[in-house]
Amino acid sequence: MTTFDDREKAYEAKYAHDAEMQFRAEARRNKLAGLWAAGLMGKTGAVADAYAMEVVKADFAEPGPDDVIRKLAADLGNLADEATIRAKMDELLSTAKVQLLDEAK
């Protein structure tokens, strides 16, 4: 096997790893956003966890976070506007990435 082949395989492996980590981070962000929203709605315990899983599942409707934002905005009503939800999701994506990195250690 040539050096070029080795580099190509390494690049492909890195790309696959990065894509998987991004998917996991977004799923974790969605769960954290669901827990945040559940707290705003007064849900706790198993009910909050179940709601968070609904939010995670909502992300499979279309690519990108807009499907999750629409769900959260509809469910939260006057408790949070779309700008607040988007800002919170950006914050939670950073939190999710840190959590995944900590778990990998």
Side-chain angles (χ1 to χ4, degrees):
M1 191 172 282
T2 67
T3 302
F4 180 75
D5 291 336
D6 291 342
R7 275 195 267 167
E8 183 179 17
K9 287 187 187 257
Y11 178 76
E12 290 172 358
K14 182 183 180 333
Y15 180 82
H17 177 265
D18 290 350
E20 178 186 353
M21 291 304 290
Q22 184 65 25
F23 175 81
R24 291 177 67 205
E26 290 172 1
R28 175 79 57 103
R29 174 208 55 205
N30 294 339
K31 180 178 179 183
L32 293 172
L35 292 172
W36 167 75
L40 290 178
M41 293 184 285
K43 298 178 180 185
T44 59
V47 175
D49 291 336
Y51 178 75
M53 291 311 298
E54 286 180 31
V55 173
V56 171
K57 290 176 186 174
D59 192 30
F60 298 120
E62 64 185 47
D66 290 339
D67 42 1
V68 173
I69 292 168
R70 277 194 303 276
K71 175 172 180 39
L72 291 173
D75 292 348
L76 288 172
N78 293 333
L79 296 173
D81 62 3
E82 186 176 324
T84 302
I85 294 168
R86 285 186 185 278
K88 189 65 174 179
M89 286 184 66
D90 288 343
E91 173 190 329
L92 292 174
L93 182 58
S94 297
T95 301
K97 287 179 178 180
V98 168
Q99 288 178 355
L100 289 172
L101 288 173
D102 287 346
E103 290 173 6
K105 291 180 183 178

